[in-house]
Amino acid sequence: MFLHLGDIVVHAAVEGPTEAPPLLMLHSIGTTMQVFEPQVAVLARTHRVIRMDLRGHGLTSVTDGDYSMELHASDALALLDALGVREAHVLGMSIGGRIAMQLAAMAPERVLSLMLMDTALEFPPPQAWQDRIDAVREIGTEALVEVVMPRWVVDPSLASSQGMRQMLLRTDRRGYAGSAAALRDARAAQVAGRIACPTTVMVGDRDVATPPELAKEVQAAIPGSRYVEISEAGHLPTLERADQATAAILEHFATLAPAAGRDAGLAIRKSVLGEAHVARASANVTALDAPFQDWITANVWGGIWTRPGLTRHTRSLLCIGMMAALARHEELELHLRATRNTGVTPEEVGEVLLQVGAYAGVPTANAALKIAKAVLKEE
């Protein structure tokens, strides 16, 4: 999608359930939001994933002059405002991580948590960035590619590395130079001591651009933050070490989840079924079924749905298949409505009910399909 935001048109993408927790992803200098493609495939099952091409990058407008971390953070806030998102988890890589810190310092009430990947409080020395700025403004990003690529990845020959090389070569010289100025001028004092949200600092153990010692400085500046190294990874691990990067992100979210039990169960129940449904159900609880409802919340929602072995998306599909096969139509309707929150698509529902027809009988599947068609048409 394209959105008018202040003085630029921003290219953005939004994937995942509308009612799921929002996750804003901010990419590195000289790349585009495509560097997060492998992670989106997983994260959009449980989060509303929001990506943008930064000012001067990808398909977002280019403006002249020096940019700043405050300007980039303001662009990100404007995107959240345009999408009606009050608060979000924020993941940033390289300059994206520094922008994420600036955003959390400027508007702490808007940031649920931070994932800071291969970034730093400052990016010394300033003269090195000025030299890049001068070279890019005179020649273009082709002046940097042979120097930058070995700093970005461990193996420049990989297809993903070659893809990032093309991203760099296609970055507008004004956009790269503007963001390089933001890196040149970034200072720790702008963010240190101003961030209090849950934070995980992630870094490739072979990152030479922002090595682990700089990541540890970020961790030290944010009280209570976690530190995670991604093995055999360079500066931009989301493509080159996609599985390890995704695992680190999922681990961050796992640390935010309440411990298994009633509290976790209630949180997941609200997330899957919707707060309005849970409120209605709770209002109808009596002394007769209160112990049963507590048991379900603590042991089913809080004991099974919290387990890491299956994604919430997969558990949602399983519930639909089992409720259809058992002809538990009231529960089937409930879990079909929950697909708005779990990321299950109508196409996936159709495949599951086809499987039900094969193994539980055609009449059973036919009845479930009629219910599914009615429920999935609801607004």
Side-chain angles (χ1 to χ4, degrees):
M1 68 175 66
F2 293 89
L3 299 165
H4 281 285
L5 300 179
D7 61 336
I8 57 174
V9 172
V10 168
H11 178 228
V14 182
E15 294 147 286
T18 301
E19 297 182 17
L23 167 61
L24 174 65
M25 307 181 84
L26 303 172
H27 64 80
S28 53
I29 188 172
T31 65
T32 71
M33 64 180 176
Q34 271 68 44
V35 294
F36 294 120
E37 288 287 352
Q39 288 70 47
V40 172
V42 176
L43 296 171
R45 298 173 184 170
T46 54
H47 289 77
R48 185 185 183 194
V49 180
I50 302 164
R51 291 178 295 158
M52 64 185 293
D53 285 338
L54 298 179
R55 177 184 293 258
H57 289 70
L59 299 180
T60 292
S61 299
V62 180
T63 54
D64 292 322
D66 292 351
Y67 305 164
S68 66
M69 294 300 171
E70 292 88 348
L71 180 62
H72 277 307
S74 295
D75 289 343
L77 286 170
L79 175 60
L80 294 181
D81 288 341
L83 296 174
V85 174
R86 177 59 191 165
E87 54 187 9
H89 301 280
V90 184
L91 187 158
M93 182 166 64
S94 190
I95 192 176
R98 184 57 178 77
I99 296 167
M101 286 187 261
Q102 198 71 43
L103 195 160
M106 289 169 52
E109 74 283 0
R110 306 293 299 273
V111 180
L112 293 168
S113 75
L114 287 175
M115 287 153 280
L116 307 175
M117 186 176 288
D118 296 275
T119 191
L121 299 170
E122 299 182 1
F123 301 81
Q127 187 57 48
W129 289 106
Q130 188 58 52
D131 292 343
R132 283 197 192 187
I133 292 167
D134 294 340
V136 166
R137 284 180 173 159
E138 180 181 353
I139 300 171
T141 53
E142 58 267 32
L144 305 178
V145 68
E146 299 306 329
V147 173
V148 166
M149 285 307 301
R151 295 173 62 82
W152 278 7
V153 296
V154 175
D155 185 354
S157 71
L158 295 177
S160 61
S161 300
Q162 292 298 308
M164 284 191 281
R165 180 189 180 95
Q166 290 303 310
M167 290 182 202
L168 176 60
L169 287 171
R170 297 180 187 189
T171 300
D172 189 288
R173 66 180 67 192
R174 295 169 296 161
Y176 188 98
S179 290
L183 289 164
R184 177 197 64 198
D185 299 338
R187 296 294 179 267
Q190 296 168 323
V191 294
R194 299 176 60 191
I195 299 172
C197 63
T199 300
T200 298
V201 181
M202 312 171 190
V203 63
D205 62 358
R206 297 178 62 179
D207 185 350
V208 296
T210 53
E213 53 265 30
L214 292 184
K216 290 176 181 177
E217 290 179 4
V218 175
Q219 182 199 18
I222 303 175
S225 60
R226 298 172 59 250
Y227 174 83
V228 175
E229 287 192 5
I230 302 173
S231 63
E232 295 300 310
H235 185 56
L236 305 182
T238 54
L239 291 176
E240 187 178 27
R241 296 289 182 266
D243 290 346
Q244 294 94 315
T246 302
I249 296 166
L250 293 176
E251 183 183 356
H252 168 85
F253 285 121
T255 66
L256 301 181
R262 191 182 187 284
D263 289 345
L266 185 59
I268 290 179
R269 189 180 178 195
K270 289 179 179 179
S271 177
V272 172
L273 301 181
E275 293 202 17
H277 169 83
V278 174
R280 289 193 300 269
S282 298
N284 291 325
V285 171
T286 68
L288 178 66
D289 66 337
F292 180 72
Q293 293 297 329
D294 284 342
W295 179 82
I296 289 175
T297 301
N299 295 285
V300 178
W301 291 103
I304 295 175
W305 281 76
T306 55
R307 291 178 60 82
L310 295 174
T311 65
R312 196 171 299 180
H313 177 271
T314 300
R315 293 188 190 281
S316 180
L317 282 171
L318 286 170
C319 285
I320 291 167
M322 288 187 286
M323 294 305 98
L326 294 170
R328 302 292 192 263
H329 292 163
E330 184 176 350
E331 288 289 313
L332 175 60
E333 289 186 27
L334 181 68
H335 284 282
L336 285 167
R337 291 191 178 95
T339 59
R340 301 183 182 98
N341 302 325
T342 61
V344 169
T345 67
E347 292 76 15
E348 289 172 322
V349 171
E351 289 296 328
V352 166
L353 295 183
L354 187 63
Q355 196 85 355
V356 168
Y359 289 93
V362 171
T364 300
N366 192 44
L369 281 165
K370 289 179 181 178
I371 294 168
K373 287 198 291 186
V375 170
L376 296 177
K377 282 198 303 185
E378 296 173 354
E379 293 295 333

